[in-house]
Every structure is written in structure tokens, then in C-alpha cells.
């Protein structure tokens, strides 16, 4: 099996002509991608995790077609066929029999912090309806593999905004967190929130993926918090 050819076809399908761009998308160095191609090998689990729309049969055998999910398919059609959803409820949650949850494109947002406010100026790209779901304020696509295998890139999470205060945190629960570092860079990530040993004013962000080390931040660096209420994985096999 020509694994280099498979990599090149995937790269073409994602319209990334430059190796550097594709390597960044996969979360590896450009040299690692070059080594894959020169040695006719690849990390199949990583490709399957990152390239969420890929046909696994193509990834395993190299046989066409790649069969990326058509962007013309509406979310309603995809969710109608999806049977892999999880709902994370607290005892205090009130279930809503039917609600329309707005789905936002976090990459296109003027500021990701706005997702934790009133969504002023943020236009959803679609709406999701799942019966008997706790009240949610919005939904976004997951990117990265820090919560793999519980969540993988391409999954959709639904969240409810909560007060940005230590006494409002449910420790040990999963959150969508907006953080700025000391240089003013802004990050949004999904993590388990634990108490920190650095002191009362710090929080520990823990990944599900054992390859990701926990990180700790001062509460002042947290610009927004949202409690994860549900997740959906769309398995499209043709």
C-alpha cells in the first residue's frame, strides 16, 4: 500500500497544497510529515482523529473514493442519521423537551469571548434540535485531540454559559474555557476543571488525552466559562 499517495490525496482533499499547512492542521511538525512521506508510513490513529470527514476504508486500504462528507448536507440531515450523542446532566438541570440550539463557527467569530456573552453580532451557521436536553446557549465544533477519545475533532459540543467565578465552578466537570495568557493571546479549549494546588485563585485544566499535560491558570486569565451539556458525533459511513 502506497501510504505516501494516501497522505497526498488526503492533503489534496483538504485543499492544503503546502506541507507546512497540512502538518499544522495535523498538529505535527513539517519534518514529521516529510518523514512519513519519505518512509511510506503514517500515524493512522492521528489521521483518523484529525481528518474527521475521511472514509476509514480509504485510510486503511488506499482505495477510492475518499468520500468526504458533502458540505451541502444540512446538519438536520446529519443529525437525523446520527446515533452517537451524549448528554451531561447535573442534578439541578431542568430538561427542555424541545429547543433550537444555535451552532456557531468559532473560527469565523470576531472574538471567541463573544461566545460567552450575548452573541451580539454573532450569526449562527445552523441550529440543532435534540429532545430532552438541558438548557443550552450555543454549540460549536470541537478541534484538536486533547479530549480524545471522549471527544474528537469534528464532534459538536453544546454548552451553557456560567458565571466566571471560582465559587460557581462545579469541580471535576467538563467546561469550554476562554483563556488569555500573559501576552494577550486568546485560547478556547475544552477541559476538565479541577482545583489547583497553586492556591485558591488558580484552576487546573485537565485533558482526557493522557498525552496532554495539565495546565494551571490564575482565575484572572479566564475570560469565559461554559459548562458542557451534550456532545454529538456524526458517523458517516457510505
Amino acid at each position: 500500500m502506497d501510504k505516501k499517495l494516501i497522505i497526498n490525496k488526503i492533503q489534496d482533499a483538504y485543499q492544503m497544497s503546502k506541507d507546512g499547512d497540512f502538518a499544522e492542521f495535523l498538529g505535527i511538525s513539517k519534518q514529521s510529515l516529510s518523514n512519513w512521506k519519505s518512509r511510506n508510513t503514517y500515524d493512522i490513529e492521528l489521521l483518523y482523529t484529525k481528518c474527521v470527514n475521511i472514509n476509514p476504508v480509504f485510510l486503511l486500504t488506499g482505495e477510492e473514493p475518499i468520500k468526504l462528507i458533502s458540505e451541502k448536507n444540512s446538519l438536520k440531515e446529519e443529525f437525523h442519521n446520527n446515533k452517537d450523542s451524549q448528554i451531561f446532566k447535573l442534578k439541578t438541570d431542568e430538561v427542555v423537551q424541545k429547543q433550537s440550539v444555535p451552532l456557531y463557527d468559532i473560527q469565523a467569530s470576531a472574538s471567541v469571548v463573544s461566545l460567552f456573552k450575548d452573541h451580539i453580532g454573532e450569526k449562527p451557521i445552523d441550529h440543532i434540535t435534540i429532545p430532552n436536553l438541558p438548557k443550552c446557549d450555543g454549540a460549536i465544533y470541537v478541534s484538536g485531540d486533547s479530549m480524545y477519545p471522549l471527544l474528537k475533532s469534528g464532534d459538536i459540543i453544546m454548552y451553557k454559559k456560567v458565571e466566571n467565578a471560582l465559587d460557581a465552578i462545579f469541580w471535576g466537570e467538563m467546561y469550554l474555557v476562554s483563556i488569555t495568557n500573559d501576552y494577550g493571546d486568546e485560547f478556547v479549549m475544552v477541559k476538565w476543571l479541577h482545583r489547583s494546588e497553586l492556591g485558591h485563585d488558580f484552576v487546573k485544566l485537565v485533558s482526557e488525552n493522557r498525552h496532554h499535560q495539565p495546565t494551571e491558570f490564575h482565575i484572572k486569565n479566564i475570560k469565559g466559562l461554559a459548562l458542557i451539556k451534550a456532545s454529538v458525533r456524526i458517523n458517516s459511513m457510505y
Side-chain angles (χ1 to χ4, degrees), residues 75 78-79 84-86 88 101-104 125-126 128 130 138-143 151-159 228-234:
L75 284 171
E78 292 176 1
F79 275 97
D84 195 358
S85 61
Q86 299 184 71
F88 309 101
V101 181
L103 174 67
Y104 295 98
I125 57 177
D126 213 317
I128 300 169
I130 297 178
I140 63 170
Y141 285 100
V142 173
S143 62
L151 298 173
K152 75 173 186 176
S153 186
D155 289 353
I156 292 176
I157 53 172
M158 281 149 277
Y159 60 85
I228 304 302
K229 290 297 181 182
S231 70
V232 175
R233 179 168 298 172
I234 302 170

Short mmCIF file of all heavy atoms in Angstrom, two decimals, residues 75 78-79 84-86 88 101-104 125-126 128 130 138-143 151-159 228-234:
data_model
loop_
_atom_site.label_atom_id
_atom_site.label_comp_id
_atom_site.label_asym_id
_atom_site.label_seq_id
_atom_site.Cartn_x
_atom_site.Cartn_y
_atom_site.Cartn_z
N LEU A 75 -27.14 20.10 8.50
CA LEU A 75 -26.93 19.50 9.81
C LEU A 75 -28.14 18.69 10.23
O LEU A 75 -28.02 17.67 10.90
CB LEU A 75 -26.64 20.60 10.84
CG LEU A 75 -25.24 21.19 10.78
CD1 LEU A 75 -25.16 22.40 11.68
CD2 LEU A 75 -24.22 20.16 11.21
N GLU A 78 -27.78 15.28 8.87
CA GLU A 78 -26.71 14.53 9.52
C GLU A 78 -27.13 14.09 10.91
O GLU A 78 -26.87 12.97 11.34
CB GLU A 78 -25.44 15.38 9.56
CG GLU A 78 -24.84 15.61 8.18
CD GLU A 78 -23.64 16.53 8.23
OE1 GLU A 78 -23.27 16.95 9.33
OE2 GLU A 78 -23.08 16.82 7.17
N PHE A 79 -27.81 14.99 11.64
CA PHE A 79 -28.21 14.65 12.99
C PHE A 79 -29.35 13.63 12.99
O PHE A 79 -29.50 12.85 13.92
CB PHE A 79 -28.63 15.90 13.76
CG PHE A 79 -27.46 16.60 14.38
CD1 PHE A 79 -26.87 17.68 13.75
CD2 PHE A 79 -26.93 16.15 15.57
CE1 PHE A 79 -25.77 18.31 14.30
CE2 PHE A 79 -25.84 16.78 16.14
CZ PHE A 79 -25.26 17.86 15.51
N ASP A 84 -24.99 8.75 17.93
CA ASP A 84 -23.88 8.75 18.88
C ASP A 84 -23.83 10.09 19.60
O ASP A 84 -23.00 10.93 19.29
CB ASP A 84 -22.56 8.49 18.14
CG ASP A 84 -21.44 8.12 19.08
OD1 ASP A 84 -21.69 8.09 20.30
OD2 ASP A 84 -20.33 7.85 18.61
N SER A 85 -24.73 10.32 20.52
CA SER A 85 -24.74 11.58 21.27
C SER A 85 -24.69 11.29 22.76
O SER A 85 -25.13 10.24 23.22
CB SER A 85 -25.99 12.40 20.94
OG SER A 85 -27.15 11.70 21.30
N GLN A 86 -24.12 12.23 23.52
CA GLN A 86 -24.03 12.10 24.96
C GLN A 86 -24.59 13.36 25.60
O GLN A 86 -24.34 14.46 25.11
CB GLN A 86 -22.57 11.93 25.40
CG GLN A 86 -21.89 10.70 24.87
CD GLN A 86 -20.49 10.57 25.44
OE1 GLN A 86 -20.30 10.28 26.60
NE2 GLN A 86 -19.51 10.81 24.60
N PHE A 88 -24.68 15.43 29.23
CA PHE A 88 -24.06 15.52 30.54
C PHE A 88 -24.95 16.39 31.43
O PHE A 88 -24.96 17.60 31.31
CB PHE A 88 -22.66 16.14 30.42
CG PHE A 88 -21.80 15.47 29.39
CD1 PHE A 88 -21.63 16.04 28.14
CD2 PHE A 88 -21.19 14.27 29.65
CE1 PHE A 88 -20.84 15.43 27.17
CE2 PHE A 88 -20.40 13.64 28.70
CZ PHE A 88 -20.22 14.21 27.45
N VAL A 101 -30.83 24.98 19.42
CA VAL A 101 -29.53 25.45 19.90
C VAL A 101 -28.73 26.01 18.72
O VAL A 101 -28.48 25.29 17.75
CB VAL A 101 -28.74 24.32 20.57
CG1 VAL A 101 -27.40 24.83 21.10
CG2 VAL A 101 -29.56 23.69 21.70
N PRO A 102 -28.31 27.28 18.78
CA PRO A 102 -27.54 27.85 17.67
C PRO A 102 -26.13 27.28 17.60
O PRO A 102 -25.47 27.13 18.63
CB PRO A 102 -27.51 29.35 18.00
CG PRO A 102 -27.68 29.42 19.48
CD PRO A 102 -28.57 28.27 19.84
N LEU A 103 -25.71 26.94 16.39
CA LEU A 103 -24.37 26.42 16.15
C LEU A 103 -23.52 27.55 15.59
O LEU A 103 -23.86 28.14 14.56
CB LEU A 103 -24.41 25.25 15.16
CG LEU A 103 -23.05 24.69 14.71
CD1 LEU A 103 -22.32 24.03 15.88
CD2 LEU A 103 -23.24 23.69 13.58
N TYR A 104 -22.40 27.85 16.25
CA TYR A 104 -21.53 28.95 15.84
C TYR A 104 -20.23 28.42 15.24
O TYR A 104 -19.73 27.36 15.62
CB TYR A 104 -21.21 29.85 17.03
CG TYR A 104 -22.41 30.56 17.61
CD1 TYR A 104 -23.07 30.05 18.73
CD2 TYR A 104 -22.91 31.72 17.04
CE1 TYR A 104 -24.18 30.68 19.26
CE2 TYR A 104 -24.01 32.36 17.57
CZ TYR A 104 -24.65 31.83 18.67
OH TYR A 104 -25.75 32.47 19.19
N ILE A 125 -24.42 29.47 12.16
CA ILE A 125 -24.38 28.86 10.83
C ILE A 125 -25.50 27.83 10.67
O ILE A 125 -25.80 27.41 9.56
CB ILE A 125 -23.01 28.20 10.55
CG1 ILE A 125 -22.68 27.15 11.62
CG2 ILE A 125 -21.92 29.25 10.48
CD1 ILE A 125 -21.39 26.41 11.36
N ASP A 126 -26.09 27.42 11.78
CA ASP A 126 -27.21 26.48 11.74
C ASP A 126 -27.79 26.36 13.14
O ASP A 126 -27.32 27.01 14.07
CB ASP A 126 -26.76 25.11 11.23
CG ASP A 126 -27.85 24.39 10.43
OD1 ASP A 126 -29.01 24.43 10.88
OD2 ASP A 126 -27.53 23.81 9.38
N ILE A 128 -29.44 23.33 16.02
CA ILE A 128 -29.52 21.92 16.34
C ILE A 128 -30.69 21.69 17.30
O ILE A 128 -30.84 22.43 18.27
CB ILE A 128 -28.22 21.43 17.00
CG1 ILE A 128 -27.03 21.64 16.06
CG2 ILE A 128 -28.32 19.96 17.39
CD1 ILE A 128 -25.69 21.44 16.73
N ILE A 130 -32.29 18.74 19.69
CA ILE A 130 -32.22 17.42 20.30
C ILE A 130 -33.22 17.40 21.45
O ILE A 130 -33.19 18.28 22.31
CB ILE A 130 -30.80 17.11 20.83
CG1 ILE A 130 -29.79 17.08 19.68
CG2 ILE A 130 -30.78 15.78 21.58
CD1 ILE A 130 -28.38 16.82 20.12
N GLY A 138 -25.52 27.58 23.24
CA GLY A 138 -24.91 27.51 21.92
C GLY A 138 -24.17 26.20 21.72
O GLY A 138 -24.11 25.35 22.61
N ALA A 139 -23.63 26.05 20.52
CA ALA A 139 -22.88 24.84 20.16
C ALA A 139 -21.75 25.22 19.23
O ALA A 139 -21.86 26.18 18.45
CB ALA A 139 -23.80 23.82 19.50
N ILE A 140 -20.64 24.49 19.29
CA ILE A 140 -19.50 24.70 18.40
C ILE A 140 -18.90 23.34 18.05
O ILE A 140 -19.15 22.34 18.72
CB ILE A 140 -18.41 25.60 19.02
CG1 ILE A 140 -17.82 24.92 20.28
CG2 ILE A 140 -18.93 26.99 19.33
CD1 ILE A 140 -16.60 25.62 20.82
N TYR A 141 -18.09 23.33 17.00
CA TYR A 141 -17.34 22.14 16.64
C TYR A 141 -16.09 22.03 17.52
O TYR A 141 -15.45 23.03 17.84
CB TYR A 141 -16.90 22.19 15.18
CG TYR A 141 -18.00 21.93 14.18
CD1 TYR A 141 -18.63 22.98 13.53
CD2 TYR A 141 -18.40 20.63 13.89
CE1 TYR A 141 -19.64 22.75 12.61
CE2 TYR A 141 -19.40 20.38 12.96
CZ TYR A 141 -20.02 21.44 12.33
OH TYR A 141 -21.02 21.20 11.43
N VAL A 142 -15.74 20.81 17.88
CA VAL A 142 -14.51 20.55 18.63
C VAL A 142 -13.34 20.53 17.66
O VAL A 142 -13.45 20.01 16.54
CB VAL A 142 -14.60 19.19 19.36
CG1 VAL A 142 -13.26 18.82 19.99
CG2 VAL A 142 -15.70 19.22 20.41
N SER A 143 -12.22 21.10 18.07
CA SER A 143 -10.99 20.99 17.29
C SER A 143 -9.88 20.50 18.22
O SER A 143 -9.89 20.78 19.41
CB SER A 143 -10.61 22.34 16.67
OG SER A 143 -10.36 23.30 17.67
N LEU A 151 -14.02 13.00 23.28
CA LEU A 151 -14.39 13.90 22.19
C LEU A 151 -13.28 13.87 21.16
O LEU A 151 -12.10 13.77 21.51
CB LEU A 151 -14.54 15.34 22.71
CG LEU A 151 -15.63 15.62 23.75
CD1 LEU A 151 -15.51 17.05 24.24
CD2 LEU A 151 -17.02 15.36 23.18
N LYS A 152 -13.64 13.96 19.89
CA LYS A 152 -12.61 14.04 18.87
C LYS A 152 -12.92 15.20 17.94
O LYS A 152 -14.04 15.71 17.91
CB LYS A 152 -12.48 12.73 18.10
CG LYS A 152 -13.56 12.44 17.08
CD LYS A 152 -13.18 11.20 16.28
CE LYS A 152 -14.15 10.95 15.14
NZ LYS A 152 -13.74 9.81 14.31
N SER A 153 -11.90 15.63 17.22
CA SER A 153 -12.05 16.76 16.32
C SER A 153 -13.18 16.52 15.34
O SER A 153 -13.26 15.47 14.71
CB SER A 153 -10.73 16.99 15.56
OG SER A 153 -10.79 18.16 14.79
N GLY A 154 -14.09 17.50 15.25
CA GLY A 154 -15.24 17.37 14.37
C GLY A 154 -16.53 17.08 15.13
O GLY A 154 -17.62 17.26 14.58
N ASP A 155 -16.42 16.62 16.38
CA ASP A 155 -17.61 16.46 17.20
C ASP A 155 -18.23 17.83 17.48
O ASP A 155 -17.56 18.86 17.38
CB ASP A 155 -17.27 15.79 18.54
CG ASP A 155 -16.92 14.33 18.39
OD1 ASP A 155 -17.06 13.79 17.28
OD2 ASP A 155 -16.48 13.72 19.39
N ILE A 156 -19.48 17.84 17.86
CA ILE A 156 -20.15 19.09 18.22
C ILE A 156 -20.49 19.04 19.71
O ILE A 156 -20.99 18.03 20.21
CB ILE A 156 -21.44 19.29 17.40
CG1 ILE A 156 -21.07 19.55 15.93
CG2 ILE A 156 -22.27 20.45 17.94
CD1 ILE A 156 -22.27 19.68 15.02
N ILE A 157 -20.15 20.12 20.42
CA ILE A 157 -20.50 20.21 21.84
C ILE A 157 -21.51 21.33 22.03
O ILE A 157 -21.45 22.35 21.36
CB ILE A 157 -19.26 20.45 22.72
CG1 ILE A 157 -18.45 21.66 22.22
CG2 ILE A 157 -18.40 19.22 22.80
CD1 ILE A 157 -17.33 22.06 23.15
N MET A 158 -22.43 21.12 22.96
CA MET A 158 -23.43 22.14 23.32
C MET A 158 -23.14 22.59 24.74
O MET A 158 -22.84 21.76 25.61
CB MET A 158 -24.83 21.57 23.18
CG MET A 158 -25.32 21.55 21.73
SD MET A 158 -26.44 20.19 21.38
CE MET A 158 -25.27 18.87 21.07
N TYR A 159 -23.23 23.89 24.98
CA TYR A 159 -22.78 24.45 26.25
C TYR A 159 -23.78 25.44 26.81
O TYR A 159 -24.63 25.98 26.11
CB TYR A 159 -21.43 25.14 26.06
CG TYR A 159 -21.46 26.28 25.06
CD1 TYR A 159 -21.84 27.57 25.46
CD2 TYR A 159 -21.13 26.07 23.73
CE1 TYR A 159 -21.89 28.61 24.54
CE2 TYR A 159 -21.18 27.11 22.80
CZ TYR A 159 -21.56 28.37 23.22
OH TYR A 159 -21.62 29.40 22.31
N ILE A 228 -20.22 22.19 29.62
CA ILE A 228 -20.60 21.31 28.51
C ILE A 228 -21.82 20.50 28.91
O ILE A 228 -21.82 19.82 29.94
CB ILE A 228 -19.45 20.37 28.12
CG1 ILE A 228 -18.19 21.17 27.78
CG2 ILE A 228 -19.87 19.49 26.92
CD1 ILE A 228 -18.37 22.15 26.67
N LYS A 229 -22.87 20.56 28.09
CA LYS A 229 -24.12 19.88 28.39
C LYS A 229 -24.36 18.65 27.52
O LYS A 229 -25.08 17.74 27.92
CB LYS A 229 -25.29 20.86 28.23
CG LYS A 229 -25.33 21.93 29.31
CD LYS A 229 -25.53 21.31 30.68
CE LYS A 229 -25.61 22.34 31.77
NZ LYS A 229 -25.76 21.70 33.11
N ALA A 230 -23.79 18.64 26.33
CA ALA A 230 -24.02 17.50 25.44
C ALA A 230 -22.97 17.48 24.35
O ALA A 230 -22.34 18.50 24.06
CB ALA A 230 -25.42 17.55 24.83
N SER A 231 -22.79 16.32 23.75
CA SER A 231 -21.88 16.20 22.60
C SER A 231 -22.52 15.29 21.58
O SER A 231 -23.30 14.39 21.91
CB SER A 231 -20.52 15.66 23.02
OG SER A 231 -20.62 14.29 23.39
N VAL A 232 -22.18 15.55 20.32
CA VAL A 232 -22.72 14.73 19.22
C VAL A 232 -21.57 14.36 18.28
O VAL A 232 -20.75 15.20 17.93
CB VAL A 232 -23.81 15.49 18.43
CG1 VAL A 232 -24.27 14.68 17.23
CG2 VAL A 232 -24.99 15.81 19.33
N ARG A 233 -21.54 13.10 17.91
CA ARG A 233 -20.55 12.63 16.93
C ARG A 233 -21.29 12.11 15.71
O ARG A 233 -22.19 11.28 15.82
CB ARG A 233 -19.68 11.52 17.52
CG ARG A 233 -18.65 10.95 16.55
CD ARG A 233 -17.65 10.09 17.28
NE ARG A 233 -16.91 10.90 18.26
CZ ARG A 233 -16.06 10.37 19.17
NH1 ARG A 233 -15.88 9.07 19.21
NH2 ARG A 233 -15.44 11.18 20.00
N ILE A 234 -20.92 12.62 14.56
CA ILE A 234 -21.58 12.22 13.32
C ILE A 234 -20.72 11.18 12.63
O ILE A 234 -19.62 11.46 12.18
CB ILE A 234 -21.77 13.44 12.38
CG1 ILE A 234 -22.60 14.51 13.10
CG2 ILE A 234 -22.46 13.01 11.10
CD1 ILE A 234 -22.65 15.82 12.38
#
